[in-house]
Amino acid sequence: MKNNATAVIIGGGVIGAAVAYELATRGMKDIILLEKSTLFSGATARCGAGVRQQWGTEMNLRLSIGSVKRYETLSEELDYKHGIEFSQSGYFMPAYTEKQIEQFQKNLELQRKFGLDVHFLKPNECRSVVPIVSLDGLLGATYYDKDGYLSPFHTTAAYAEAAKRKGVDIELYTEVIGFDVNDQKITRVQTNKGYIDCDYVVNAAGGWSQEIAKMAGVSLPLVSERHQILITEPIEPLFRPMVMSFYHGFYTQQEPNGAIIMGVGDPNEPKGYNMEHSFHFLHNVTKLVTQVLPAVGKARVLRQWSGLYNLSPDRTPILGTPSEINNMYLTVGFSGHGFMIAPMVATLTAQMITNEELLIPEVETKLDIGRFQRGELFVEPSVV
Ligand SMILES: Cc1cc2nc3c(=O)[nH]c(=O)nc-3n(C[C@H](O)[C@H](O)[C@H](O)COP(=O)(O)OP(=O)(O)OC[C@H]3O[C@@H](n4cnc5c(N)ncnc54)[C@H](O)[C@@H]3O)c2cc1C
C-alpha cells in the first residue's frame, strides 16, 4: 500500500466507489479507497435496490432525478459490459388515510413542477398497475413508471472498475483504525496495514461512519439501526412495480426471475450494529405484505438477511465537512435511500472537494451538519 495520497476514501460501498470515480474523472491523482472487508459488504449489497423520484421536497427531487438521469446511461458511461440492470418498472405508493392522500396530492404537484409525470390512481384504477392489490381500505395511490431498481452489486462494481482504470487504488481488507490530526486537518490515516498521509478524507463508511468520525474527534449525530429484508422462491409474475406503503412501512418488489423481495422497519429496533435476523421480522413483514398483496402468500421464503441504516436526526444525509475538521468530507446518514441518490451525492462531494460550482448549491446550507445546531432540520414528508 502506498503511504501518500491526495484523497483517502473510507468505505467500498456504492458511495465510496462513486466518489472515487468522480474525483478521478476530475483529474485528481493518487486516490486510495480503503475497505475493511470486500466491496459492497455493507448496506449497499444488502439493500432493496429501489430507486424512486416520488419525493416531497425540492432537494430530494433534485437528488433523485439527477441520479436517475445518470443511472439511465451509467453502464455506457462507465463502460461496464455486464450492465447495471436498471429497470424502470415503476413505484406504486398506496394511501390508506385522508392525510396521506392530501400529502400525496401535494407531492404530486411538486413532482409535476419538476417534470415528472406521476399519476394519481383512484382505488378502482389501482389494479391496472398492480393487479393483485387488495382494495380493502385503499383510498388511492401514486404511480410513476420511471422509478425502478438496479443492481447494487453491478453498480458498485461498475464505479469501482472505472475508478481503477482511472488510477484509483482500491485496498480491500484494510481497516481504518485512527487518524493523526493537526490544526483541524487529518494529516495521516492509520490502518491495520500501515499509514497514509493525505490531503483529503472522505467518510463513506455507511453504518460505521460515526465511529470513523469519532477517531478524528468529531461527534456526529448519527445512529445505526438494523433493517431486515427477505427474498422468496421465484413464482409466476404477479406484479411489476415496487410497492411501497408508508402506512404499513413496507416495500416489496417482484424481480424478473419471479422472486419477491420485501422489507419493513421495526419501530422498536434498538440502535446499534446487530446484523442478525429474526423470526419476528419474517412474521411481521409477510403479514403486512399479504394484507395488501394477498396473492404473495403463496410464495415460499428462500432467505432473509439484514443491513444497517445510518440515521441522522432528520433521516436525511449529511454532506460537507464538520466544523472541527476541515478536510473530512462526510457522505453519511442515508437512512433507507442512499443507493438511489448515490450518483448525485458522489458528484456533489467531488465538486466540494475540487471547489467546483455545485450542481445543487443549496446542499451546503440544507444538508450540512450545522443544520442540527441551527435547529433547521430537513423535513421530508415521504420517507420510510
Ligand atoms: C435492508 C435495507 C434496504 C435498503 N433499501 C434501499 C433501497 O431500496 N434504495 C436505496 O436507495 N437505499 C436502500 N437502502 C439504503 C442503502 O443501502 C444505503 O443508503 C447505501 O447502500 C449506503 O451506501 P454507503 O456506500 O454509504 O454504505 P455501505 O454500503 O454500508 O458501505 C460502507 C463501507 O464502509 C466500510 N467500512 C466501515 N468501517 C470501515 C473502516 N473502519 N475501514 C474501512 N472500511 C470501513 C464497510 O465495510 C462498508 O463496506 C437500504 C438499506 C438496507 C439496510
Side-chain angles (χ1 to χ4, degrees):
M1 186 173 75
K2 289 183 195 155
N3 295 120
N4 267 292
T6 310
V8 170
I9 298 164
I10 305 167
V14 67
I15 300 286
V19 172
Y21 169 77
E22 293 295 344
L23 284 175
T25 297
R26 283 163 176 75
M28 186 182 277
K29 303 281 178 238
D30 301 317
I31 301 167
I32 303 181
L33 186 152
L34 302 178
E35 166 53 54
K36 69 176 176 177
S37 176
T38 58
L39 284 181
F40 44 74
S41 52
T44 298
R46 299 157 184 267
C47 82
V51 174
R52 72 174 155 115
Q53 298 160 89
Q54 295 183 63
W55 290 94
T57 53
E58 295 199 4
M59 176 64 76
N60 279 328
L61 278 158
R62 288 208 173 99
L63 289 171
S64 60
I65 292 171
S67 295
V68 164
K69 279 216 174 77
R70 285 292 288 288
Y71 276 146
E72 281 170 347
T73 55
L74 199 68
S75 299
E76 293 77 34
E77 179 187 337
L78 301 181
D79 195 16
Y80 185 68
K81 66 175 184 307
H82 307 290
I84 59 168
E85 299 178 355
F86 189 28
S87 164
Q88 288 176 294
S89 43
Y91 254 66
F92 173 88
M93 308 194 5
Y96 294 91
T97 65
E98 287 302 334
K99 208 167 152 216
Q100 276 189 328
I101 294 280
E102 259 172 52
Q103 186 61 54
F104 281 11
Q105 297 279 17
K106 268 195 219 157
N107 293 355
L108 197 129
E109 246 173 67
L110 186 64
Q111 291 156 2
R112 289 208 169 138
K113 276 193 200 147
F114 277 77
L116 305 187
D117 190 18
V118 180
H119 295 281
F120 184 81
L121 306 173
K122 297 196 184 108
N124 63 356
E125 295 168 323
C126 288
R127 284 190 171 160
S128 65
V129 173
V130 181
I132 60 165
V133 69
S134 163
L135 301 183
D136 269 3
L138 183 63
L139 298 181
T142 58
Y143 172 63
Y144 187 43
D145 62 1
K146 295 286 184 289
D147 291 340
Y149 67 92
L150 71 159
S151 162
F153 306 95
H154 282 306
T155 305
T156 310
Y159 269 126
E161 285 180 17
K164 260 195 208 165
R165 287 197 303 272
K166 286 180 182 286
V168 173
D169 285 334
I170 298 185
E171 302 288 346
L172 302 181
Y173 302 105
T174 308
E175 181 169 3
V176 172
I177 53 172
F179 299 110
D180 291 4
V181 175
N182 191 4
D183 198 16
Q184 295 195 301
K185 267 185 178 262
I186 293 172
T187 51
R188 178 170 283 189
V189 178
Q190 301 284 1
T191 80
N192 60 341
K193 294 189 180 164
Y195 69 87
I196 306 170
D197 291 334
C198 65
D199 301 325
Y200 304 101
V201 171
V202 177
N203 181 348
W208 299 269
S209 52
Q210 59 274 25
E211 304 297 335
I212 295 289
K214 217 185 283 169
M215 294 176 196
V218 176
S219 166
L220 295 180
L222 293 171
V223 288
S224 294
E225 185 184 278
R226 171 177 70 164
H227 274 249
Q228 302 188 60
I229 180 166
L230 65 75
I231 192 162
T232 70
E233 287 180 351
I235 56 171
E236 76 272 16
L238 295 175
F239 63 112
R240 214 169 121 66
M242 180 80 85
V243 176
M244 176 174 240
S245 170
F246 290 121
Y247 181 80
H248 302 88
F250 74 71
Y251 55 88
T252 182
Q253 167 140 51
Q254 187 164 28
E255 300 195 342
N257 74 347
I260 299 170
I261 60 159
M262 58 187 81
V264 70
D266 178 349
N268 299 317
E269 181 66 40
K271 308 300 175 225
Y273 301 91
N274 177 17
M275 279 201 273
E276 301 288 300
H277 42 85
S278 68
F279 180 75
H280 171 73
F281 162 75
L282 173 64
H283 178 73
N284 192 31
V285 74
T286 48
K287 188 179 82 185
L288 293 172
V289 169
T290 52
Q291 271 169 25
V292 175
L293 306 170
V296 169
K298 71 175 99 160
R300 293 190 305 185
V301 173
L302 182 66
R303 188 165 79 83
Q304 66 185 82
W305 66 95
S306 66
L308 297 177
Y309 274 23
N310 188 233
L311 299 165
S312 72
D314 56 12
R315 306 297 186 253
T316 298
I318 304 172
L319 305 183
T321 53
S323 57
E324 302 91 328
I325 300 282
N326 51 37
N327 66 342
M328 179 194 270
Y329 287 80
L330 306 170
T331 51
V332 300
F334 292 108
S335 194
H337 56 278
F339 178 56
M340 63 183 78
I341 58 173
M344 280 300 279
V345 165
T347 300
L348 289 161
T349 301
Q351 288 177 331
M352 284 181 197
I353 295 173
T354 56
N355 281 320
E356 262 175 56
E357 198 180 322
L358 300 190
L359 274 181
I360 309 177
E362 300 80 18
V363 160
E364 286 190 313
T365 50
K366 293 212 162 128
L367 300 189
D368 65 320
I369 189 164
R371 71 184 188 269
F372 303 109
Q373 263 179 356
R374 298 193 301 274
E376 293 170 5
L377 267 61
F378 185 93
V379 182
E380 166 58 59
S382 292
V383 72
V384 279

